[in-house]
Amino acid sequence: MSDEIKVEDLLILGAGPAGLAAALYAARADLNPLVMTGTELGGQAALTDRIENYPGFPEGVGGAELSELFQKNAERFGARLEYDTATEVDLTKRPYTIKTYSNEFLAKSLIIAVGASPNKLKIPGEDQFRGKGISYCATCDGWFFKEKKVAVVGGGDSALEEGLFLTRYASSVTIIHRRDELRAGAILQKRAMKNEKISFIWDTVVTEVKGDQGVERLVLENVKDGKKSELEVDGFFIFIGHRPNTLLFKGQLEMDEKGYLVTDERMRTKLPGVFAAGEVNDPHYRQVITSAGMGAAAAIEATRLLESEEED
Ligand SMILES: Cc1cc2nc3c(=O)[nH]c(=O)nc-3n(C[C@H](O)[C@H](O)[C@H](O)COP(=O)(O)OP(=O)(O)OC[C@H]3O[C@@H](n4cnc5c(N)ncnc54)[C@H](O)[C@@H]3O)c2cc1C
């Protein structure tokens, strides 16, 4: 029964850069935070091969390695990790209730750092071939495509980073983009253009994925002249942006039109003791460093709030 459950001072939902940085700061402030990891310990950062823009690592650092360092750093000061996923929250009264698959938690304060998930193309064949040739993570699945032909859809940093990573394994990487220019940063564009394994198909969308047991062909449509064609591939990687994982909070917390949580500049939602940090409330920057910074800020705010409530 809920009145027998220990009330946590601070529960952190999410163990990506934002959640783990929040855990570090909260643990050092003696809040004894409990971090619920969800299914992706380390978050999106752990999925990428190399991170070259997190300060302090002049040679770059593996995404999984950096995530592990974040975790160790937080645990060293007493942060506790709970390997579970929040399935339901009740924010109508404090302490707030968080239900998971196997448990129920009560918390005086909450830092929501559940991040974002990849967008889907929502085309025929996408769900059918997920894990059978379709992937949203080159670092996780690139290895399966040794000497195979793969296609990547997208034109941003992720699409190029992951496309470049795939050239380690694949015999060829075709990047399909719906416009005639890329959104990705200049350095990445240069690297991709120079790579002999990479080619581009411009002004084109993928309308269907075809195959039998796995991906065999992509149906393409040129957005300028409407011409259809097919591209034979063994693998198809989709990098067309992300959406915040905020369904859980619908109707309980304010969101913008894209589903990002709305906070003030101090990471506070409108509910007392409920903070948000990282990609869940950041449609603008979406980086490890900015997410971690927001996590730290949220933890400082939670500490100040709990301390002031204790004094009262
Ligand atoms: C392929 C790729 C490459 C990237 N490369 C770079 C790079 O080079 N440099 C850079 O700075 N950034 C990079 N990024 C972006 C960076 O990884 C993200 O900005 C950062 O991870 C966001 O951190 P976050 O903590 O806000 O969320 P996330 O990393 O998305 O973490 C979310 C956390 O919440 C948990 N969670 C979700 N739902 C629940 C739930 N219901 N209950 C409990 N927990 C839950 C997840 O398991 C996860 O632990 C890359 C991202 C991708 C996808």
Side-chain angles (χ1 to χ4, degrees), residues 10-35 54 70-71 73-75 77-81 110-114 267 275-278 288 290-303:
L10 173 64
L11 184 65
I12 298 170
L13 295 181
L20 291 174
L24 168 63
Y25 272 69
R28 281 178 51 82
D30 273 344
L31 291 189
N32 192 24
L34 185 67
V35 185
Y54 192 79
F70 273 35
Q71 179 189 341
N73 211 165
E75 285 181 327
F77 293 101
R80 295 163 294 146
L81 263 61
L110 208 56
I111 294 179
I112 300 168
V114 292
M267 311 301 137
F275 304 87
V288 174
T290 47
S291 301
M294 291 169 81
I300 293 171
E301 291 295 339
T303 308

Side-chain angles (χ1 to χ4, degrees), residues 14-15 17-18 37-38 40 44-45 48 53 86 114-115 161 278-279 286-288:
T37 64
E40 283 169 11
Q44 297 169 66
T48 192
N53 51 8
V114 292
E161 266 169 28
E279 286 205 11
R286 299 186 300 180
Q287 295 294 297
V288 174

Side-chain angles (χ1 to χ4, degrees), residues 183-196:
R183 265 184 301 112
I187 293 176
L188 278 173
Q189 289 202 32
K190 235 187 227 169
R191 273 191 213 161
M193 304 280 180
K194 263 195 353 209
N195 193 303
E196 283 177 359

Side-chain angles (χ1 to χ4, degrees), residues 249-260:
F249 310 100
K250 213 171 174 189
Q252 303 198 60
L253 288 173
E254 193 186 347
M255 296 175 196
D256 71 8
E257 69 286 354
K258 289 190 175 150
Y260 287 93

Side-chain angles (χ1 to χ4, degrees), residues 13-166:
L13 295 181
L20 291 174
L24 168 63
Y25 272 69
R28 281 178 51 82
D30 273 344
L31 291 189
N32 192 24
L34 185 67
V35 185
M36 200 163 295
T37 64
T39 51
E40 283 169 11
L41 177 58
Q44 297 169 66
L47 298 178
T48 192
D49 176 52
R50 239 172 148 70
I51 294 181
E52 294 185 328
N53 51 8
Y54 192 79
F57 298 91
E59 307 302 326
V61 58
E65 188 188 345
L66 183 63
S67 302
E68 207 179 311
L69 291 171
F70 273 35
Q71 179 189 341
K72 276 191 185 152
N73 211 165
E75 285 181 327
R76 182 182 154 213
F77 293 101
R80 295 163 294 146
L81 263 61
E82 179 82 20
Y83 296 87
D84 208 344
T85 298
T87 52
E88 213 181 309
V89 295
D90 180 359
L91 306 181
T92 54
K93 58 181 189 308
R94 216 170 158 208
Y96 302 114
T97 306
I98 291 86
K99 288 187 182 162
T100 68
Y101 287 116
S102 56
N103 234 323
E104 189 171 320
F105 297 87
L106 290 174
K108 284 186 207 165
S109 66
L110 208 56
I111 294 179
I112 300 168
V114 292
S117 296
N119 282 333
K120 289 184 161 188
L121 281 172
K122 296 185 185 147
I123 55 170
E126 186 174 9
D127 287 337
Q128 186 187 344
F129 295 116
R130 186 177 182 155
K132 294 176 185 159
I134 291 189
S135 169
Y136 302 84
C137 175
T139 318
C140 320
D141 300 325
W143 189 85
F144 297 109
F145 296 91
K146 271 188 183 159
E147 294 308 318
K148 306 250 181 201
K149 287 185 281 188
V150 302
V152 166
V153 70
D157 283 349
S158 289
L160 290 207
E161 266 169 28
E162 302 303 293
L164 280 160
F165 177 74
L166 285 167

